[in-house]
């Protein structure tokens, strides 16, 4: 899958996903510091495939789904580190969410909170 990297990409070569929806959201903290949140819904043919994908993706350093382009939001160069990451599985779909600051100091608490909420968003 071209929208992934690392071991996650290798996983998709062996176990193709059935669907992929991604969104990039912009937010600000209480001080007005910009934040970007990426959410991806990765659908599989079976719950087992979704579980195996989640297990792999939850392991830091194994790769991930790439975010959609952020040029329209003015955040084309944001690098997602996986430090503010959450995931959940809903049947045969694995939902992943990551948050990163775009500029200015944003607390880990805010970034983690945004990822916790974003992973609960309904699929578009």
């Amino acid at each position: 899958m071209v929208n992934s990297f690392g071991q996650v990409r290798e996983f998709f070569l062996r176990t193709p996903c059935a669907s992929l929806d991604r969104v990039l959201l912009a937010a600000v903290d209480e001080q007005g510091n910009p934040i970007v949140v990426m959410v991806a819904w990765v659908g599989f043919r079976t719950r087992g495939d979704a579980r195996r994908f989640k297990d792999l993706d939850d392991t830091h350093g194994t790769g991930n789904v790439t975010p959609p382009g952020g040029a329209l939001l003015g955040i084309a160069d944001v690098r997602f580190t996986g430090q503010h990451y959450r995931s959940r599985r809903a049947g045969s779909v694995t939902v992943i969410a990551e948050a990163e600051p775009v500029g200015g100091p944003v607390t880990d608490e805010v970034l983690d909170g945004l990822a916790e909420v974003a992973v609960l968003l309904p699929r578009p």
Side-chain angles (χ1 to χ4, degrees), residues 21-122:
D21 293 297
R22 302 171 299 157
V23 297
L24 203 55
L25 307 168
V28 295
D29 69 3
E30 291 179 343
Q31 288 72 40
N33 297 310
I35 302 164
V36 64
V37 180
M38 188 271 292
V39 185
W41 295 263
V42 187
F44 291 91
R45 288 179 287 149
T46 70
R47 291 172 182 243
D49 290 345
R51 181 182 39 76
R52 283 187 292 281
F53 170 72
K54 183 181 180 306
D55 290 346
L56 174 65
D57 201 59
D58 285 352
T59 305
H60 189 74
T62 59
N64 203 348
V65 172
T66 56
L72 291 175
L73 295 176
I75 49 174
D77 297 329
V78 172
R79 182 177 167 271
F80 286 88
T81 64
Q83 297 301 310
H84 309 286
Y85 167 95
R86 294 295 183 273
S87 70
R88 72 178 174 90
R89 196 171 57 78
S92 61
V93 175
T94 296
V95 184
I96 55 177
E98 289 190 66
E100 292 293 337
V102 178
V106 179
T107 67
D108 288 341
E109 181 179 68
V110 166
L111 295 168
D112 290 341
L114 283 170
E116 286 177 22
V117 170
V119 79
L120 300 174
L121 291 172

